[in-house]
Amino acid sequence: MYNEYDDENEIMEMETAAEDAEYMEGVNDANMSDEPVIEGDVIPQENIPDKQDETKEEKFIRLAEVRVGKALNAIQRLGNLSNKSAYHYTDGQIEQMLEHLKRRLQE
């Protein structure tokens, strides 16, 4: 028996898989970039023999590069939600999301 609900679930699963693949591609692309994510000297991992021996600045740069890259990828994934053929949302929902993000950035 044909069930429209099953078709919608299958489409959603396919979209989620596609987004996950796109996300992983973005993560790999971000990790392959030679450009620094933050201002300052980039410290190649091979130049840090042991995390215990790194300075506070080296630790900051190492962690900031990873975390900013992840944040940028997450923002890109949020942008994927703007596909009106795959999702339905209201302007109010978008405003709520943006206000929440703005509040968190100001903290």
Side-chain angles (χ1 to χ4, degrees):
M1 174 178 218
Y2 176 74
N3 186 341
E4 188 174 322
Y5 180 76
D6 290 337
D7 287 345
E8 288 178 23
N9 281 341
E10 185 175 333
I11 290 170
M12 288 174 53
E13 288 173 11
M14 290 169 50
E15 289 169 353
T16 302
E19 283 184 349
D20 289 345
E22 181 179 324
Y23 171 74
M24 290 310 295
E25 182 178 308
V27 169
N28 291 336
D29 289 346
N31 292 340
M32 299 296 285
S33 174
D34 291 334
E35 296 180 29
V37 175
I38 61 169
E39 294 294 323
D41 295 328
V42 177
I43 302 168
Q45 287 299 113
E46 61 270 8
N47 292 348
I48 302 175
D50 189 0
K51 290 180 184 178
Q52 293 175 343
D53 295 334
E54 71 185 347
T55 66
K56 289 182 178 184
E57 181 182 12
E58 291 169 335
K59 182 177 182 179
F60 172 81
I61 291 171
R62 176 178 54 84
L63 293 174
E65 286 183 338
V66 171
R67 292 176 186 178
V68 170
K70 286 181 179 181
L72 293 173
N73 285 326
I75 291 169
Q76 180 181 1
R77 291 190 70 198
L78 281 174
N80 294 344
L81 293 174
S82 68
N83 181 352
K84 289 229 179 210
S85 66
Y87 307 103
H88 175 74
Y89 53 88
T90 66
D91 289 341
Q93 290 169 320
I94 298 300
E95 289 175 23
Q96 282 180 331
M97 182 176 64
L98 291 175
E99 285 302 315
H100 184 72
L101 289 169
K102 287 176 188 176
R103 276 196 308 273
R104 291 303 299 242
L105 285 172
Q106 291 174 351
E107 290 178 0

